Amino acid sequence: MPAILKRTDSFVDRHIGPDDVDVKSMLRLLEVASLEELIGSTVPRQIRSARPLKLQPGKSEFELLEELEAIAAKNQVFKSFIGMGYSDCTTPGVILRNVFENPGWYTQYTPYQAEISQGRLEALLNFQTMVADLTGFELANASLLDEGTAAAEAMTMARALHGTSSADVFFVSEGCHPQTIAVVKTRAQPLRIQVRVGDHRTFKFQRDVFGALVQYPATDGSVEDYRPFCERAHAAGALVAVAADLLSLTLLKPPGEFGADIALGSAQRFGVPLGYGGPHAAYFATRAENARHVPGRIIGVSRDAHGRPALRMALQTREQHIRREKATSNICTAQVLLAVMASMYAVYHGPKGLRAIAARIHRLTQVLARGLTELGFKPRHEQFFDTLRIEATAQECQSIIERAARTRMNFRRIDERSIGLSMDETHGAKDLEAIFEVFSGSRSLGTTTPRVRRSLDQLAEGTAEGFLGPLARTTSFLQHPVFNSHHSETEMLRYIHRLQSRDLSLADSMIPLGSCTMKLNATSEMVPVSWPQFARIHPFAPVEQAAGYQVIFKQLESALAEIAGLPAVSLQPNAGSQGEYAGLLVIRKYHQGRGEGDRDVCLIPSSAHGTNPASAVMAGCRVVVVSCDEQGNVDLSDLRAKVQQHRRKLAALMVTYPSTHGVFEEEIRQICSVIHENGGQVYMDGANMNALVGLCRPGEFGVDVCHFNLHKTFCIPHGGGGPGMGPIAVQAHLAKYLPSHPLISTGGEDGIGPVSSAPWGSASILPISWVYIQQMGAEGMARATQVAILNANYVAQRLEPHYPVLFRGKNGRVAHECIVDLRPLKRTAGIEVEDVAKRLMDYGFHAPTVSFPVPGTMMIEPTESESKSELDRFCDALISIREEIREIERGLAPREDNVLKNAPHTAEAVTASAWTHPYPREKAAFPAEWVRHAKFWPSVGRVDNPRGDRNLICTCPPIEDGQRAQSTGD
């Protein structure tokens, strides 16, 4: 093509921060002539790929979105009546535009730095309050990945609470959703838990049963009183978990009131799109005394340094990165963005609105039941909420399903002789008429008869008073003012914006978190997520209706396989931790298939991410820790010794590459060879893939399995702590074991079973990574990797005179991140790493990763998306802070009352009439010139974490509790 005809809008130039002039300037500081020379001295030659990626050239944003529109058009959006835990719903426009599609909400990081995360923390506290109120329990967490994995977490929690090692049976009612049963079975097998599926009415508890799971309402719509079942379970010492439809609990007696111990489920129908399976926020609630056994994260109320209410993540000792191989869960994230949406849905509608939505859905279902009865199809169950089970002959069922499809409706085929119909918020009278037409045709009754019409008119004239059965809810819920104050769009918009203003996101400044890769989430990547062709498809719709999705899946799998150098990919794991778990299960099943199922030892370096040992234990492995040397590399002599010691039982090595210490280990090929020579497999944690793409292919240097963090390297946003996606890639000999699914054909022919509720995990966000790869192309992604390494080395070089860089490679280079050592400052100035982290907030920055993998350090990852000017601003901030520390070292500032110890400084603190500190207010609030032009004010002072754990409050505090309520209007 002639140069004059080539497009000028290169996405690569939009994604990568430094331009050519900046790159040359940065290279001069590093004393190298080119990016190629820098990469040559950084990335070991023996792992460099011999060829470039075989991917299409990058495309412009405009042309790619046009192409994606054509692909999306292949998806057919039918009216869904499938149910099974997934319901179409209406996302209020004020939430769609101002949360779901707003980078101020979706580009935030996990709220480890509470002082600059108060808005999101408040929204999550609202979520917890909503869940606790609706389920009838005192305590709820800040969300889990999906309903199936939440049920599996309930199983392991029940086992831990039961505490009897001989009890190894978990009962699951056959009334549970089939995907939930399958995920629970997958999770149970490596833990040697026996799952018994049966009729809860007739099941007899023995002393070997530690827990049970029931569905409420059941998967076929039945609403049953589980109190007698709970009493039988408790008499035998077992705990009961209830997977409950959250919206139904506005009308039905909550699990906490009929004797359950745990409630779990999905908050999807609270305004979160179907998205072909996700992402959605699962919920998890229990009694207060079980707090330290709850999986995932909990938001709690504490106080800041000025005595004001402040929120933070509570009970952090439960986190898997601390408990490691003693953890009972590997959950390292929540579905924060989706939990925020669900909580905002509850705030917007309030208790009356939610109850009205539920009552209308129930009324529609009653009308449907009456009409079908008049047509000769009496529902099986007398008590129901939104789902009916209709029985007919096998021929009639098939005919009904086919006729429904011709009118663009999807019904559920429960079994050969029954059909399921589930109503939702989007349905109305026209949908009822269409269903009646379909059913009447099966018996040649023509259009709906006058008798049916009269019956429906009489029923529809009644008020939507709610559920009238014996399990009707009698207790109130959502009485806190926050759920009763923001029902106009004006008030809701202001509330959302008020919370957003308290959270630092990528819309404010760089978030330089090591191992977390907070890079650009481009608008062109995000736009398609809310297109109805992707957002409104049920995960169990016939596959042919999702032909556009299948194009995306196939091309994304192919691209990830090419990038990893591993031929087979599963997109199902819906978090990085789930990818670790799935990959290890694949390895274990491979060994079992070779008659070596007793191979259960997993070697893990001491520097590994906390999810690594937790995932290994969940996969039924015994963790053996391998030491690291002084340079942060795997200690080869210790590795060989551990391999020799456990060679007959060796299953796998889990290794992060580049290492968690931010360097390329020179001996990675040798490490892989040692494992393979002794019958093991090599699992690579893909957290640091941003240093490899386009330069190195893990499959070529000995890796058998790796996972991708699509929410890191491939641009799915972190969403304030979720969503995430963790697909895995495997060598050919492992492909047959990739995760399968009971309802949709996917995975290997001898797959391990599902690790997520939906066949392709959180499918609706996979187009984000597809768009990124298509726009960058092979050369663009390689360039991004080179610049990510350049940016990290530039930061390391600028900071080295002020903070020692802890680890470097053979030629003195770091990979895509660097670790700066702050430990000496404690001795010289009494300054902790936390003090520097909090002081950075006064400069308008989120701290790098603190005290991981080495306590007292900061791990900095600038990514390729940050410009040189932003990198300089961040380095200038850290250098300025070092000068502030030198003032303490020289005795010019006191060790206890200084700008670091008192950081962050709020607007209220620096404008108070009393100021007792020995430094001026100006230094506290405006430590750098740029802060004067764009100040991000922390909304609270330093949070007292221990106080919040000693006085655990995990729901919205009473209005009289003071300033939080006043300041937010709730």
Side-chain angles (χ1 to χ4, degrees):
M1 179 185 295
I4 192 67
L5 297 181
K6 291 184 180 180
R7 300 194 71 98
T8 59
D9 53 338
S10 166
F11 175 76
V12 176
D13 295 335
R14 307 297 187 193
H15 176 82
I16 295 175
D19 60 20
D20 290 342
V21 173
D22 289 337
V23 168
K24 290 179 181 178
S25 172
M26 295 161 75
L27 290 171
R28 281 196 297 273
L29 180 70
L30 298 174
E31 299 181 345
V32 291
S34 66
L35 274 175
E36 289 70 24
E37 182 181 345
L38 173 66
I39 298 304
S41 66
T42 304
V43 184
R45 181 176 301 175
Q46 60 267 31
I47 69 165
R48 290 288 300 274
S49 186
R51 62 171 178 80
L53 293 174
K54 294 180 179 178
L55 297 175
Q56 295 295 318
K59 301 175 182 177
S60 74
E61 297 174 77
F62 179 77
E63 67 180 330
L64 186 64
L65 286 177
E66 278 193 325
E67 180 181 331
L68 187 55
E69 285 179 358
I71 293 173
K74 298 177 185 293
N75 291 332
Q76 302 178 63
V77 182
F78 280 32
K79 279 278 187 176
S80 175
F81 300 89
I82 297 172
M84 300 175 69
Y86 298 93
S87 301
D88 203 358
C89 59
T90 301
T91 307
V94 66
I95 298 174
L96 176 69
R97 175 64 61 88
N98 296 290
V99 177
F100 193 44
E101 299 177 340
N102 183 353
W105 283 95
Y106 64 67
T107 68
Q108 302 155 340
Y109 183 61
T110 304
Y112 283 117
Q113 297 295 334
E115 295 82 359
I116 50 175
S117 307
Q118 288 296 298
R120 180 176 10 140
L121 288 168
E122 181 168 326
L124 292 175
L125 192 73
N126 292 343
F127 178 84
Q128 292 177 181
T129 302
M130 173 188 79
V131 170
D133 277 11
L134 290 174
T135 59
F137 285 108
E138 302 94 345
L139 178 71
N141 72 6
S143 74
L144 291 175
L145 301 177
D146 59 30
E147 184 167 334
T149 54
E153 297 289 346
M155 173 180 67
T156 53
M157 177 175 152
R159 192 186 203 187
L161 288 170
H162 189 275
T164 304
S165 59
S166 59
D168 62 354
V169 174
F170 187 67
F171 171 75
V172 178
S173 169
E174 60 193 13
C176 292
H177 296 316
Q179 72 273 15
T180 298
I181 297 173
V183 171
V184 168
K185 285 182 174 179
T186 300
R187 185 75 65 89
Q189 192 274 332
L191 300 177
R192 297 179 180 173
I193 294 173
Q194 299 181 50
V195 175
R196 294 181 187 167
V197 181
D199 188 340
H200 66 272
R201 303 174 194 86
T202 59
F203 181 73
K204 294 182 179 179
F205 283 91
Q206 305 292 332
R207 288 296 173 182
D208 60 350
V209 181
F210 65 82
L213 175 70
V214 294
Q215 193 89 40
Y216 181 65
T219 188
D220 66 356
S222 173
V223 173
E224 300 188 35
D225 185 357
Y226 288 116
R227 182 177 293 279
F229 179 80
C230 293
E231 291 172 350
R232 298 201 325 266
H234 293 158
L239 288 84
V240 177
V242 178
D245 181 298
L246 200 58
L247 187 61
S248 77
L249 298 183
T250 63
L251 304 182
L252 300 179
K253 185 184 291 293
E257 293 182 15
F258 60 66
D261 302 288
I262 301 167
L264 60 100
S266 173
Q268 177 265 313
R269 68 190 311 177
F270 278 49
V272 180
L274 284 166
Y276 204 40
H280 307 139
Y283 73 84
F284 195 99
T286 187
R287 306 191 189 285
E289 60 263 28
N290 299 332
R292 292 192 177 273
H293 291 273
V294 173
R297 291 171 175 157
I298 299 174
I299 308 308
V301 181
S302 186
R303 297 273 173 180
D304 74 356
H306 312 294
R308 290 171 52 87
L311 308 177
R312 24 75 76 192
M313 290 199 295
L315 301 177
Q316 285 301 287
T317 53
R318 298 170 311 106
E319 287 271 73
Q320 80 295 323
H321 69 264
I322 295 172
R323 300 187 68 184
R324 300 176 72 81
E325 64 267 23
K326 294 182 181 179
T328 56
S329 170
N330 71 342
I331 294 296
C332 67
T333 189
Q335 295 280 32
V336 170
L337 182 66
L338 300 315
V340 168
M341 289 180 66
S343 76
M344 292 297 185
Y345 183 90
V347 168
Y348 194 40
H349 289 294
K352 291 181 181 178
L354 291 179
R355 187 176 176 88
I357 291 168
R360 178 182 174 276
I361 292 170
H362 180 54
R363 196 65 166 177
L364 285 170
T365 314
Q366 288 178 306
V367 174
L368 178 61
R370 176 72 67 86
L372 291 177
T373 299
E374 294 286 356
L375 291 173
F377 296 93
K378 182 176 175 60
R380 173 187 283 195
H381 304 299
E382 294 291 336
Q383 297 292 325
F384 51 80
F385 167 58
D386 67 348
T387 299
L388 303 177
R389 180 172 185 163
I390 308 299
E391 295 175 324
T393 67
Q395 184 176 355
E396 282 180 321
C397 286
Q398 184 62 30
S399 176
I400 289 168
I401 293 289
E402 291 174 355
R403 252 195 328 276
R406 288 197 292 271
T407 56
R408 298 182 69 82
M409 294 190 294
N410 287 326
F411 296 169
R412 176 187 175 191
R413 187 74 178 267
I414 295 177
D415 57 32
E416 188 175 322
R417 293 177 176 271
S418 62
I419 290 172
L421 294 169
S422 295
M423 306 302 291
D424 64 44
E425 183 186 4
T426 68
H427 295 148
K430 290 183 179 180
D431 299 301
L432 294 179
E433 291 288 351
I435 293 172
F436 294 142
E437 291 290 338
V438 167
F439 273 84
S440 65
S442 70
R443 294 188 177 178
S444 302
L445 297 178
T447 59
T448 310
T449 64
R451 185 161 59 94
V452 172
R453 286 189 179 277
R454 284 195 301 272
S455 176
L456 297 181
D457 289 342
Q458 292 170 3
L459 188 59
E461 286 173 1
T463 59
E465 66 274 354
F467 189 82
L468 298 179
L471 287 170
R473 181 170 190 140
T474 59
T475 52
S476 61
F477 55 89
L478 303 187
Q479 295 303 294
H480 192 277
V482 73
F483 299 105
N484 296 278
S485 304
H486 308 292
H487 303 326
S488 75
E489 183 166 333
T490 301
E491 286 301 316
M492 190 65 195
L493 174 63
R494 289 170 180 162
Y495 181 65
I496 292 172
H497 182 73
R498 196 152 54 235
L499 296 195
Q500 178 189 329
S501 70
R502 297 174 186 167
D503 271 32
L504 188 143
S505 70
L506 283 174
D508 297 293
S509 61
M510 71 181 289
I511 302 179
L513 286 149
S515 191
C516 297
T517 317
M518 299 292 290
K519 65 203 298 183
L520 171 70
N521 311 123
T523 305
S524 57
E525 294 156 7
M526 299 303 299
V527 163
V529 174
S530 50
W531 288 354
Q533 297 93 332
F534 292 122
R536 297 196 63 191
I537 298 182
H538 194 286
F540 306 139
V543 173
E544 58 269 20
Q545 293 176 19
Y549 262 120
Q550 295 304 316
V551 171
I552 297 294
F553 297 159
K554 183 177 180 180
Q555 293 184 4
L556 183 57
E557 288 172 359
S558 176
L560 293 177
E562 169 65 13
I563 289 166
L566 297 165
V569 172
S570 169
L571 299 174
Q572 190 180 110
N574 56 359
S577 57
Q578 294 295 95
E580 294 173 16
Y581 174 65
L584 290 171
L585 288 186
V586 165
I587 288 173
R588 294 221 62 197
K589 192 154 189 181
Y590 162 74
H591 288 309
Q592 292 163 7
R594 300 174 68 234
E596 296 183 339
D598 59 341
R599 286 186 175 270
D600 64 351
V601 169
C602 185
L603 303 180
I604 302 180
S606 58
S607 63
H609 294 102
T611 49
N612 287 179
S615 296
V617 170
M618 286 174 54
C621 294
R622 291 183 291 136
V623 173
V624 174
V625 177
V626 178
S627 300
C628 291
D629 61 23
E630 293 183 358
Q631 287 72 45
N633 300 316
V634 173
D635 186 325
L636 274 172
S637 61
D638 190 55
L639 174 71
R640 290 192 179 97
K642 298 288 173 57
V643 167
Q644 184 64 25
Q645 180 183 354
H646 299 285
R647 68 183 187 281
R648 298 188 185 279
K649 299 285 187 178
L650 179 63
L653 166 75
M654 294 188 81
V655 62
T656 302
Y657 200 81
S659 77
T660 311
H661 293 118
V663 295
F664 288 95
E665 300 201 28
E666 297 282 335
E667 306 300 332
I668 186 63
R669 281 186 178 272
Q670 188 175 352
I671 289 169
C672 295
S673 295
V674 169
I675 301 301
H676 290 149
E677 289 164 5
N678 289 274
Q681 297 284 284
V682 176
Y683 179 98
M684 193 191 89
D685 184 314
N688 295 337
M689 189 70 73
N690 211 46
L692 298 178
V693 177
L695 304 183
C696 315
R697 304 167 79 229
E700 294 178 349
F701 56 77
V703 170
D704 299 292
V705 185
C706 76
H707 87 264
F708 304 90
N709 291 110
L710 297 188
H711 52 289
K712 297 183 181 182
T713 306
F714 297 95
C715 292
I716 291 176
H718 283 65
M725 279 294 278
I728 57 172
V730 300
Q731 294 283 11
H733 64 280
L734 299 175
K736 64 186 292 188
Y737 305 115
L738 288 174
S740 60
H741 197 276
L743 299 170
I744 301 289
S745 178
T746 187
E749 64 268 25
D750 192 19
I752 58 171
V755 296
S756 303
S757 290
W760 289 279
S762 296
S764 71
I765 55 176
L766 291 174
I768 298 171
S769 297
W770 180 87
V771 171
Y772 171 71
I773 292 170
Q774 294 286 325
Q775 290 182 153
M776 293 294 284
E779 291 184 7
M781 283 193 289
R783 173 80 173 187
T785 305
Q786 292 174 329
V787 174
I789 293 172
L790 168 66
N791 283 0
N793 279 277
Y794 178 76
V795 168
Q797 192 73 13
R798 282 213 58 197
L799 295 180
E800 178 73 56
H802 309 278
Y803 303 93
V805 174
L806 201 54
F807 302 108
R808 291 184 182 272
K810 185 173 68 174
N811 296 317
R813 302 296 184 193
V814 299
H816 64 307
E817 59 193 9
C818 61
I819 297 175
V820 295
D821 193 357
L822 278 65
R823 291 173 296 181
L825 303 178
K826 183 175 182 179
R827 175 180 54 81
T828 63
I831 293 299
E832 306 273 2
V833 64
E834 181 183 24
D835 299 323
V836 177
K838 303 310 179 187
R839 182 58 173 159
L840 272 169
M841 297 176 190
D842 290 330
Y843 287 80
F845 285 107
H846 194 293
T849 300
V850 171
S851 291
F852 177 82
V854 180
T857 66
M858 283 186 169
M859 182 161 58
I860 304 167
E861 182 181 358
T863 84
E864 72 276 11
S865 294
E866 299 299 341
S867 65
K868 178 178 180 295
S869 61
E870 184 73 351
L871 299 181
D872 283 334
R873 197 166 67 91
F874 172 72
C875 290
D876 289 345
L878 274 177
I879 293 168
S880 176
I881 290 172
R882 185 64 184 91
E883 289 303 315
E884 294 171 347
I885 297 170
R886 289 192 178 100
E887 291 178 1
I888 302 171
E889 292 170 333
R890 295 167 184 157
L892 301 177
R895 291 172 73 97
E896 297 302 326
D897 190 6
N898 54 64
V899 287
L900 283 95
K901 288 295 183 183
N902 296 324
H905 296 84
T906 64
E908 182 180 18
V910 298
T911 57
S913 56
W915 181 261
T916 61
H917 305 300
Y919 51 91
R921 300 170 194 255
E922 183 180 33
K923 184 172 185 175
F926 301 107
E929 186 60 31
W930 70 77
V931 183
R932 297 179 182 276
H933 304 294
K935 174 70 177 178
F936 180 90
W937 287 101
S939 57
V940 298
R942 193 174 304 197
V943 177
D944 184 345
N945 290 325
R947 184 187 188 281
D949 285 348
R950 291 193 303 268
N951 306 278
L952 191 62
I953 302 172
C954 300
T955 56
C956 294
I959 192 70
E960 60 269 16
D961 211 25
Q963 295 301 319
R964 174 181 175 271
Q966 281 186 8
S967 63
T968 62
D970 61 6

